Amino acid sequence: MILKSKDLLGLKDLTTEEIEYILNTAKTMKLIVTSKNKKAPHLQGKSIITLFYENSTRTRLSFELAAKYMSASAANVSASSSSVSKGETLIDTGKTIDMMGTDVVIIRHPMSGAPHLLARNINASVINAGDGMNEHPTQALLDMFTIIEKKGSLKGLKVAIVGDIYHSRVARSNIWGMTKLGAEVCVSGPSTLLPPEIEKTGVKAFNTVQEALIDADVVMGLRIQLERQKKGLFPSIREYSRFFGLDEKRLKLAKEDALIMHPGPVNRGVELSSAVVDGDSSLINEQVQNGVAVRMALLYLLTRRDSNENVN
Amino acid sequence: MRTLIKGGHVVDSKSKVDDFLDILIEDGKIVEIGKGLEYVNGDIIYADGKYVLPGFVDAHCHLRDPGFEYKEDIETGTRSAAKGGFTSIACMPNTSPVIDNQAIVKYIINKAKQEGIVNVYPIGAISKGLKGDELSEIGELKFAGAVAVSDDGKPLKSSSLMKKALQYSSMFDITVISHCEDLELVDEGTMNEGYMSTILGLKGIPSAAEEIMVSRDLILAEYTKIPVHIAHVSTELSVDLIRHAKSRGVKVTCETCPHYFTLTEEACEGFNTMAKVNPPLRTKKDVQAIIEGLKDGTIDIIATDHAPHHSDEKNVEFAIAANGMVGFETALPLCITYLVKPGHLTIEQLVEKMCVNPSKILGLNKGYIEVGGSADLTILDIDEEFIVDIQKFSSKSKNSPFDGFKLQGTVYYTIVNGNVVVREKVLL
């Protein structure tokens, strides 16, 4: 099997089979991440560029290590957000990178659809490492990988995603991916932070966190950004935390063996209490480790397409 | 110089003519209309099987001249208009400099006389520099030749200034065209707020942003008893509000554009910047309501909102892509294909909305076929099919979401003041 597109732009456009294939490949990759000798030859001779228009520590590092563990040459391009609307266009930057012999460009961008624009205009494969409010597919893949590792499958699991769904690309990618793999996804957050007509994507939306948490197998908190408060979307962090914060007491509504996740970085005491972050059910650290494995799998699968030359 | 048009199906809403007639043109005027006119020694156009209609009048376009000639200028803009069957067009004042003084009005009129091939009527700015702070010299604009005033592209934020604009303009009998948009509700929105904005992760523009301002202007029009014209109506509730106001006797007129009765927000799929326009493309129920509004007369005018943009302004991230689409060369076929062919509008009603009403609102002596009237005529075949090819547009810009659409309705002749500017589908 081979991925249909030269790019990974989002989980909305992937088939269930493609998602499962990526996750299966990541299992093998995890053996490399957890071994003593982290050097595999899969990407020898390949060149990987990370092109980040937004700050990021973990995602960028995770991609960079994924490339290096598989012997690719990797380089970083940092573009400040302010250069997005002035200066060189995204297409021009992309073409420059393309002409230097790059095989995969990993892009993070504050505007939804930027990776799609790049992908249409360059020959290299493009991986979306987060675009605006649209998608963050590798985060969702690593979340699903982590859940499957613990639970065996997503089929029939109830997953509650709590927080700022409106602005969250992590939520959108997880909704597409998890519903495709058969999970029942519930979202909950202040009504000002739920996107319109979100239920049409196949999820249930709740304005009380309690409804979403009942009998959940997986609970995922999302980061709340303070700047949303200034825009009038919620009155205070204190009130947010009172109605939507996840603490041990509230999590008793979920199943006893419920898994706790968060894409990080966590605002301790806001989305999750410190006790929950550091508790036994928290998978936050596993998520980070699995992130490298999933990204290795993707880099491997996308660069393997070259031999077929059926780039569309 | 005489031209005889023979055998065409003449439809004129003003004189209620709907018959196969010949039309004789001399010195830019229609001199005779009748059956079996014979004339040797001159240009004879055989219009058998085709409609002969009053030249189309566009009440809302952007010619980008002066200031943005890399997008369009008066020469290319009027050529594009002629190709689309328009003989008179009214251009919006968001040029650089803004059309907020006599000099720019005169510049446009003079340049159009020299380089334009259709009649061009400038629309002046309501406020100086389109800033929404002070009224521009509306009296002087009118006497220089402006046919309406508008801050199109921007709403007049201040209700107080809007009220004064209506009152002051009424003194000069010049129409105020309002661009209705509550910018605080728009915020950072770039497409219609709804399911599509949710799944594309794009910030949405609620339909309420348009409707709230439509309501405000209707209330001001009722309060002042002065007419107002609402530009580019795109939502179901806007249509309902205007219908209600009309039933109360408010002197309101309004327009919509072809993209609002042909496309929905789904055209933005894949971050298609060609479908980025303001107001944004809405939903199916809005499209149906626009068609209803056109049918029952709530919507008076179909305008193009021809908005040319360079490819560099569209080939970027959706959030920073320019708003708008070119419209001259697709408007008529879209009306034929989506309104006339399905039976929503008759040809006579189309003539009302694209010839008679725009002329009335702009105070032009155009939009009808009568002896003594100006020889502005459009001859079209409403059955001929073609595939839209943006590369063939005469406009300088190619930003259209209709590329590849199969449409019916071809302009065979455009005649402006007796001059044939499009002959057998070819721009001269």
Side-chain angles (χ1 to χ4, degrees):
Chain A
M1 180 176 168
I2 196 151
L3 299 181
K4 277 200 282 295
S5 167
K6 81 173 169 74
D7 313 295
L8 178 80
L9 302 177
L11 298 192
K12 184 170 67 148
D13 310 313
L14 286 193
T15 63
T16 307
E17 293 69 35
E18 284 176 307
I19 294 172
E20 282 169 347
Y21 184 54
I22 296 166
L23 296 176
N24 276 330
T25 311
K27 270 190 215 161
T28 323
M29 296 304 175
K30 188 163 182 186
L31 298 176
I32 302 172
V33 183
T34 50
S35 73
K36 286 223 167 79
N37 180 19
K38 298 181 189 48
K39 205 70 177 174
H42 302 73
L43 295 187
Q44 211 152 40
K46 301 292 180 193
S47 159
I48 315 284
I49 299 281
T50 60
L51 172 62
F52 274 45
Y53 289 89
E54 275 182 356
N55 294 330
S56 151
T57 313
R58 67 187 66 209
T59 304
R60 185 170 202 150
L61 188 58
S62 179
F63 270 111
E64 205 177 323
L65 289 175
K68 286 180 172 163
Y69 290 167
M70 292 191 294
S71 311
S73 22
N76 299 322
V77 181
S78 284
S80 71
S81 293
S82 62
S83 72
V84 173
S85 48
K86 48 190 175 195
E88 195 172 46
T89 67
L90 177 61
I91 294 176
D92 286 346
T93 306
K95 282 185 173 158
T96 306
I97 293 171
D98 212 20
M99 290 316 288
M100 292 182 183
T102 306
D103 298 288
V104 183
V105 181
I106 296 148
I107 180 174
R108 168 166 289 193
H109 198 286
M111 293 178 194
S112 302
H116 307 67
L117 178 70
L118 183 67
R120 280 198 295 270
N121 285 282
I122 67 173
N123 292 315
S125 292
V126 173
I127 296 179
N128 181 359
D131 64 322
M133 316 186 320
N134 180 37
E135 286 224 40
H136 190 353
T138 60
Q139 177 69 42
L141 286 166
L142 75 88
D143 290 339
M144 292 190 283
F145 182 89
T146 308
I147 295 166
I148 292 169
E149 223 179 24
K150 297 288 170 190
K151 301 275 185 191
S153 155
L154 268 156
K155 207 163 214 97
L157 294 190
K158 179 177 171 182
V159 181
I161 306 178
V162 179
D164 179 359
I165 312 294
Y166 183 85
H167 294 94
S168 178
R169 52 200 180 203
V170 175
R172 282 183 181 73
S173 282
N174 267 313
I175 288 169
W176 298 124
M178 288 179 177
T179 51
K180 279 177 185 169
L181 294 196
E184 181 201 334
V185 180
C186 299
V187 298
S188 177
S191 42
T192 44
L193 292 174
L194 289 180
E197 303 183 46
I198 186 67
E199 291 199 325
K200 276 200 197 165
T201 60
V203 305
K204 284 188 190 137
F206 298 105
N207 281 141
T208 74
V209 71
Q210 287 82 358
E211 286 170 286
L213 289 180
I214 292 168
D215 290 330
D217 297 282
V218 179
V219 179
M220 182 182 293
L222 297 175
R223 187 175 166 81
I224 282 287
Q225 285 180 345
L226 202 61
E227 68 197 65
R228 313 291 180 214
Q229 181 187 328
K230 291 187 197 126
K231 287 224 108 186
L233 289 161
F234 61 95
S236 67
I237 289 288
R238 184 168 166 271
E239 177 149 315
Y240 174 83
S241 175
R242 171 158 176 210
F243 289 99
F244 293 96
L246 300 170
D247 57 20
E248 284 173 303
K249 187 174 158 231
R250 207 163 258 171
L251 285 168
K252 288 209 170 83
L253 290 166
K255 284 195 182 145
E256 229 180 287
D257 59 348
L259 309 174
I260 310 299
M261 307 178 79
H262 191 291
V266 182
N267 292 311
R268 285 174 180 258
V270 182
E271 306 108 18
L272 305 179
S273 70
S274 275
V276 170
V277 174
D278 302 324
D280 292 339
S281 341
S282 166
L283 294 180
I284 297 171
N285 293 327
E286 270 102 325
Q287 284 176 277
V288 175
Q289 185 179 56
N290 290 337
V292 181
V294 162
R295 288 168 180 129
M296 287 169 75
L298 271 173
L299 289 173
Y300 170 63
L301 293 174
L302 289 176
T303 49
R304 217 169 55 122
R305 292 178 47 85
D306 293 3
S307 47
N308 287 41
E309 280 301 331
N310 57 350
V311 173
N312 46 29
Chain B
M1 178 64 194
R2 286 180 142 197
T3 306
L4 179 63
I5 302 165
K6 276 191 76 70
H9 185 170
V10 178
V11 175
D12 179 53
S13 315
K14 192 181 166 202
S15 57
K16 300 282 167 213
V17 166
D18 187 343
D19 202 355
F20 292 87
L21 295 168
D22 303 337
I23 298 175
L24 184 63
I25 299 168
E26 190 173 350
D27 297 331
K29 300 273 178 207
I30 294 171
V31 292
E32 203 177 346
I33 302 171
K35 284 192 192 267
L37 297 188
E38 290 298 337
Y39 180 70
V40 281
N41 219 1
D43 189 9
I44 299 181
I45 292 167
Y46 294 97
D48 304 77
K50 298 183 182 65
Y51 276 97
V52 178
L53 307 176
F56 284 75
V57 180
D58 189 12
H60 188 148
C61 71
H62 299 267
L63 293 181
R64 308 297 190 208
D65 188 350
F68 306 102
E69 293 87 349
Y70 67 95
K71 300 175 194 245
E72 191 84 282
D73 59 36
I74 287 171
E75 187 191 343
T76 58
T78 57
R79 289 178 69 79
S80 176
K83 191 93 180 292
F86 292 92
T87 55
S88 295
I89 57 179
C91 56
M92 285 294 173
N94 58 343
T95 46
S96 178
V98 169
I99 313 180
D100 63 358
N101 61 75
Q102 290 187 62
I104 308 297
V105 173
K106 285 179 178 159
Y107 161 84
I108 290 168
I109 291 172
N110 288 335
K111 193 167 179 194
K113 271 186 191 142
Q114 286 160 16
E115 297 174 18
I117 62 168
V118 306
N119 304 306
V120 176
Y121 300 98
I123 294 171
I126 297 173
S127 71
K128 287 179 190 142
L130 302 175
K131 289 200 171 77
D133 299 327
E134 298 170 32
L135 293 180
S136 47
E137 294 167 340
I138 292 173
E140 297 214 347
L141 287 169
K142 159 100 182 187
F143 285 103
V147 294
V149 287
S150 178
D151 271 8
D152 183 61
K154 287 179 180 175
L156 221 54
K157 261 175 102 172
S158 158
S159 305
S160 163
L161 193 69
M162 183 62 187
K163 174 171 166 276
K164 288 166 195 144
L166 289 171
Q167 289 171 328
Y168 192 82
S169 303
S170 72
M171 175 167 68
F172 297 104
D173 197 21
I174 186 168
T175 305
V176 175
I177 302 176
S178 180
H179 169 112
C180 292
E181 187 181 19
D182 179 329
L183 290 179
E184 290 196 1
L185 276 173
V186 171
D187 197 13
E188 294 168 328
T190 55
M191 68 172 292
N192 185 51
E193 180 170 271
Y195 178 64
M196 284 305 291
S197 67
T198 289
I199 68 166
L200 290 171
L202 290 169
K203 289 192 178 156
I205 301 173
S207 53
E210 173 178 319
E211 293 145 357
I212 282 173
M213 286 300 241
V214 167
S215 314
R216 181 199 74 175
D217 290 348
L218 294 173
I219 291 166
L220 288 174
E222 174 158 348
Y223 182 77
T224 58
K225 302 186 176 60
I226 294 168
V228 67
H229 179 75
I230 310 287
H232 41 55
V233 169
S234 74
T235 82
E236 182 191 24
L237 183 52
S238 292
V239 176
D240 275 352
L241 289 165
I242 293 164
R243 186 180 287 124
H244 176 69
K246 283 189 169 186
S247 77
R248 289 178 61 89
V250 179
K251 292 176 191 158
V252 55
T253 53
C254 71
E255 74 197 26
T256 191
C257 312
H259 38 280
Y260 299 121
F261 57 76
T262 55
L263 298 176
T264 66
E265 56 179 4
E266 283 173 36
C268 298
E269 178 74 69
F271 303 95
N272 177 17
T273 57
M274 291 298 187
K276 188 180 174 189
V277 60
N278 191 22
L281 300 174
R282 307 287 186 181
T283 65
K284 227 176 180 171
K285 79 171 170 55
D286 297 299
V287 167
Q288 282 159 359
I290 295 290
I291 293 172
E292 269 320 300
L294 285 164
K295 284 167 79 168
D296 71 12
T298 303
I299 301 176
D300 309 88
I301 289 182
I302 299 167
T304 65
D305 199 359
H306 178 81
H309 288 294
H310 194 274
S311 62
D312 287 348
E313 295 163 311
K314 282 291 190 183
N315 213 0
V316 291
E317 295 87 333
F318 195 92
I320 55 172
N323 275 313
M325 47 188 78
V326 290
F328 287 143
E329 292 167 70
T330 47
L332 220 41
L334 288 168
C335 290
I336 299 292
T337 310
Y338 288 83
L339 298 176
V340 175
K341 289 291 175 184
H344 299 312
L345 292 187
T346 62
I347 288 287
E348 192 193 329
Q349 286 171 312
L350 189 67
V351 166
E352 243 164 61
K353 296 192 195 295
M354 296 188 76
C355 308
V356 180
N357 293 342
S359 303
K360 213 183 280 174
I361 286 155
L362 301 174
L364 310 177
N365 183 21
K366 300 278 184 192
Y368 60 91
I369 300 178
E370 275 176 21
V371 170
S374 51
D376 288 357
L377 298 163
T378 302
I379 301 177
L380 74 154
D381 182 326
I382 67 160
D383 298 317
E384 189 169 310
E385 272 187 1
F386 72 104
I387 307 246
V388 178
D389 179 356
I390 53 173
Q391 295 312 324
K392 289 188 181 152
F393 284 170
S394 298
S395 170
K396 223 178 248 187
S397 293
K398 317 292 175 200
N399 53 307
S400 168
F402 297 108
D403 194 28
F405 272 51
K406 193 193 221 181
L407 300 177
Q408 277 180 293
T410 319
V411 174
Y412 266 74
Y413 287 84
T414 306
I415 301 169
V416 183
N417 304 318
N419 299 315
V420 178
V421 295
V422 172
R423 178 182 291 274
E424 285 292 329
K425 302 195 270 186
V426 179
L427 198 54
L428 299 177

